[in-house]
Amino acid sequence: AQTAKMVMRKRLDSIQLMSARMAHEIYNPLNMIKNSLEAIEMLVARNKDEAMQKTLKPFMAITHRAIPRIHETVELMTQYSKEGYAPVLRSHSLKEAIEQILKLINLPAHKDIEIDFLVESEKPIWCDPAELNQAILNVIENAVDSIEDKGTVSIHLYESNQFIVLTVKDTGCGIAPEEVDRIFSPFYSTKGPGKGMGLGMTISFQTIEAIGGTIEVSSKVGVGTQMTIRLPSEKQNEDKQPVTETTVNQKATTRKKPEAIALETKARVQ
């Protein structure tokens, strides 16, 4: 297990620089596309040719939907390439966080999916709320995406051996045994082309590990998948004081951690 972790870290480090370069190269043309689209929209609005407006507006709408998706991908690459990032830790209620996360989940209209949330612990944990919320959102969205037509996502929050445990279990397609060990690897995805970069679970893994937690996966093809997240309770961190800006700057030279996207500005990830 220790060797596997070392291999994982080497992979993460080797891809960080590439991610930063790719993000930089994509940002500039993306902004040019966005500005050009705005200019085209102004010209179309001024033109009185209704036939032209009717022809172009659907294509402009498609482009408007595509730009945020590209921007989202670049944001993932940018946060993944960040070095020297130290999160600001504070007390956080997982129960309240998950309740808010579930409001962000976009259930496909063509699928019959039920989400159950069983709460058996309301004990707070010590973390960077925005980062951990993003990590959990990635896990829940993956569970929803794994269900092809009809199924259930069961979320269970409870305590075990001084840890807060969160399980997310789905009745989706499952993951093949040879792929289970790879799901936390950068740019690896079990989804089809155009449905994600394969960074969501990598970022979730890093976020959870950084606060002393673990994330494990068990899966069976045709049955479903369960993600188990174990996090230290706030009680285990009573000796820790809220992280100040000075502390963050001091730690920034020794830690590598991706910068999470705030939930308020969250688009679909992976």
Side-chain angles (χ1 to χ4, degrees):
Q2 191 64 28
T3 302
K5 284 189 175 181
M6 292 177 63
V7 172
M8 171 71 77
R9 289 191 179 282
K10 287 182 179 179
R11 288 178 179 174
L12 297 178
D13 291 341
S14 66
I15 297 176
Q16 280 183 325
L17 180 58
M18 182 183 71
S19 298
R21 288 177 176 176
M22 290 177 64
H24 176 74
E25 294 301 321
I26 295 173
Y27 259 129
N28 288 336
L30 180 62
N31 286 331
M32 288 167 33
I33 292 171
K34 183 178 179 181
N35 293 336
S36 298
L37 178 62
E38 291 176 354
I40 292 172
E41 285 182 317
M42 290 179 61
L43 292 174
V44 171
R46 293 173 183 173
N47 195 296
K48 303 302 181 181
D49 188 336
E50 294 184 2
M52 184 185 71
Q53 291 182 352
K54 186 177 180 180
T55 301
L56 292 180
K57 282 186 177 180
F59 293 105
M60 290 189 293
I62 292 172
T63 308
H64 267 299
R65 291 196 297 269
I67 289 175
R69 289 184 60 186
I70 300 172
H71 189 270
E72 171 194 346
T73 300
V74 177
E75 283 294 322
L76 274 175
M77 295 170 67
T78 301
Q79 64 172 299
Y80 181 72
S81 66
K82 292 287 186 179
E83 294 190 11
Y85 177 76
V88 178
L89 309 179
R90 65 174 185 265
S91 178
H92 186 50
S93 168
L94 263 187
K95 172 183 176 293
E96 294 179 5
I98 294 172
E99 289 173 345
Q100 292 301 313
I101 287 171
L102 292 179
K103 295 178 182 179
L104 296 176
I105 300 295
N106 181 27
L107 295 178
H110 65 283
K111 295 183 180 182
D112 183 7
I113 299 176
E114 181 179 351
I115 299 180
D116 299 324
F117 182 26
L118 175 61
V119 180
E120 293 187 307
S121 173
E122 296 191 28
K123 186 177 293 186
I125 60 170
W126 196 257
C127 67
D128 181 305
E131 285 198 350
L132 186 61
N133 288 354
Q134 183 65 54
I136 294 172
L137 179 59
N138 290 343
V139 172
I140 296 176
E141 284 195 329
N142 279 355
V144 170
D145 289 343
S146 73
I147 298 173
E148 296 179 356
D149 296 307
K150 181 178 181 180
T152 303
V153 176
S154 301
I155 304 170
H156 188 190
L157 183 62
Y158 61 98
E159 294 179 44
S160 177
N161 298 325
Q162 295 186 327
F163 279 82
I164 306 301
V165 183
L166 173 65
T167 62
V168 179
K169 183 177 182 180
D170 65 67
T171 59
C173 57
I175 305 171
E178 63 271 18
E179 294 183 328
V180 168
D181 292 336
R182 301 175 61 193
I183 67 169
F184 298 115
S185 298
F187 303 112
Y188 178 77
S189 175
T190 58
K191 301 177 182 180
K195 295 184 179 180
M197 276 197 64
L199 281 180
M201 292 309 300
T202 302
I203 293 170
S204 295
F205 175 87
Q206 291 183 315
T207 299
I208 291 165
E209 185 185 56
I211 57 175
T214 62
I215 178 170
E216 301 172 353
V217 56
S218 60
S219 185
K220 186 174 181 180
V221 175
V223 177
T225 301
Q226 176 170 308
M227 306 294 294
T228 302
I229 300 171
R230 292 181 175 85
L231 300 166
S233 66
E234 185 183 40
K235 186 176 181 181
Q236 291 179 261
N237 296 280
E238 285 179 345
D239 58 321
K240 295 182 180 179
Q241 297 298 321
V243 180
T244 63
E245 184 175 354
T246 301
T247 308
V248 169
N249 292 335
Q250 289 173 345
K251 290 183 178 181
T253 58
T254 60
R255 291 197 59 186
K256 292 182 179 181
K257 194 72 185 75
E259 185 177 58
I261 306 172
L263 277 178
E264 290 78 7
T265 58
K266 166 69 176 56
R268 283 188 66 80
V269 171
Q270 194 170 334

